[in-house]
Each structure stands twice: as C-alpha cells, then as structure tokens.
C-alpha cells in the first residue's frame, strides 16, 4: 500500500460515504475527511451552486484537485464525491490504496435520498438519471475498488463493520 489514507470510500451519491466514513474513522481512531466538504469550504458555496454557476467541467477540475491533495495529505479515512472516479488521473492515483466501493441498488437510493433535486445531476427524472449514472460509473467504481461492500438493507454501523472486515482492518 502507498502512503496516504487508511481507507478511501467511493460510490454513488446517497450511498452513505460520509456517514460510514465517520464511523470507520471512529473505529480506527483516525481522522475523517470528505473531498466534497473540502471543495465547499474552499469555494465558499455549495456543490449545486458550482454546477449551476460554473458547470460540471469546472466542478470536475476542482474535484480532481481536491482528491489529489487529500490522497497526498490525509492519513485517515477519506470519502470521495460520487463522480470523482470519472477522471482517469484520479483512478490512477487510487491504485495501491485500500478502496471500498459502497454499492447500492436504485430502490435503496430512492428510499435513502428520495432522489431529490438538491443533487444537480438528478434534477430531471431522477430515477432514470440515477440508473444511467450507475450504468456509466459502476465499472469504474469496481475498477478502483479493493473491496465491494453492498449497503442495501444494512445500517451504517453494519456497513462500517463490513468495510473493516473486507479490508482486513482492526479497530483501534
């Protein structure tokens, strides 16, 4: 394994990366960091506002930079934004890291998020758009993953334990 985070979490929006990441970090006795939070703090506005004001390409560039900085400078648990794996350089940077792909089916996504309009990529026909996003991204999540952890029907605590088990990490 290369230096950097103990665990990197990837997966679609609404899968619970932030909640599970904080639980995993607590169990490992380390810090938690989310690259979406980094972008919001750096830009002083929401991700939805960045999408609307500047467009997806600008957001993806900000995301790529945030992920690169976090992979180089964070040694705890790191959660990446749902679309971060679209970038080829980001996928290359993830090689050698312990990456858990938190997977979820569309019905679970509907229950968890309501597929609401606050998510800029799901503003019109969210159910169909979520399916299309997953069809386009699933193989990329799998490509970067050391382990795939299904989240359907599980509590955040159960998912956190499954991540630790799948990556063979012991609690602090």
């Amino acid at each position: 394994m290369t230096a950097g985070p103990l665990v990197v979490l990837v997966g679609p929006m609404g899968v619970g990366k932030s909640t599970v990441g904080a639980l995993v970090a607590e169990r490992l006795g380390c810090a938690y960091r989310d690259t979406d939070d980094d972008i919001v703090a750096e830009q002083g506005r929401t991700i939805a506002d960045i999408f609307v004001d500047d467009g997806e390409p600008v957001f993806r560039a900000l995301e790529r930079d945030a992920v690169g900085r976090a992979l180089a400078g964070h040694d705890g648990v790191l959660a990446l934004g749902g679309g971060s794996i679209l970038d080829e350089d980001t996928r290359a940077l993830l090689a050698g890291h312990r990456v858990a792909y938190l997977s979820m089916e569309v019905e679970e996504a509907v229950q968890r998020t309501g597929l609401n309009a606050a998510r800029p990529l799901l503003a019109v026909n969210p159910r169909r758009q979520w399916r299309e996003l997953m069809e386009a991204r699933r193989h990329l999540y799998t490509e970067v993953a050391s382990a795939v952890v299904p989240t359907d029907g599980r509590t955040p605590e159960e998912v956190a334990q499954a991540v630790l088990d799948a990556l063979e990490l012991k609690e602090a």
Side-chain angles (χ1 to χ4, degrees):
M1 294 286 154
T2 59
L6 280 172
V7 177
V8 180
L9 299 176
V10 299
M13 59 188 88
V15 76
K17 295 181 299 285
S18 297
T19 301
V20 170
L23 289 169
V24 171
E26 182 181 310
R27 291 180 186 192
L28 292 174
C30 65
Y32 168 73
R33 183 171 173 180
D34 183 317
T35 57
D36 281 351
D37 292 343
D38 291 350
I39 294 166
V40 169
E42 177 184 287
Q43 295 296 308
R45 54 197 173 134
T46 67
I47 289 170
D49 286 344
I50 296 167
F51 263 82
V52 169
D53 296 342
D54 302 330
E56 185 174 0
V58 169
F59 172 75
R60 294 297 174 206
L62 293 169
E63 182 175 57
R64 181 178 53 251
D65 294 345
V67 170
R69 285 191 304 273
L71 286 171
H74 182 68
D75 60 3
V77 175
L78 178 64
L80 305 188
S84 61
I85 46 77
L86 294 170
D87 184 77
E88 186 177 343
D89 293 336
T90 295
R91 292 193 308 275
L93 286 174
L94 289 171
H97 290 282
R98 284 185 197 95
V99 179
Y101 161 32
L102 304 184
S103 67
M104 171 175 65
E105 297 302 321
V106 69
E107 293 312 316
E108 187 87 1
V110 169
Q111 289 176 5
R112 289 189 195 178
T113 68
L115 295 180
N116 63 41
R119 300 186 183 272
L121 292 178
L122 301 178
V124 179
N125 196 344
R127 204 179 279 248
R128 188 187 84 225
Q129 287 181 306
W130 195 89
R131 278 193 184 99
E132 289 173 1
L133 282 173
M134 283 309 300
E135 286 170 16
R137 296 176 180 181
R138 187 174 284 113
H139 72 284
L140 299 174
Y141 291 132
T142 304
E143 174 187 318
V144 302
S146 311
V148 177
V149 178
T151 65
D152 299 272
R154 289 175 150 173
T155 66
E157 292 77 12
E158 291 168 334
V159 175
Q161 188 60 53
V163 167
L164 293 172
D165 292 346
L167 297 175
E168 300 178 355
L169 293 168
K170 303 285 183 225
E171 292 186 40

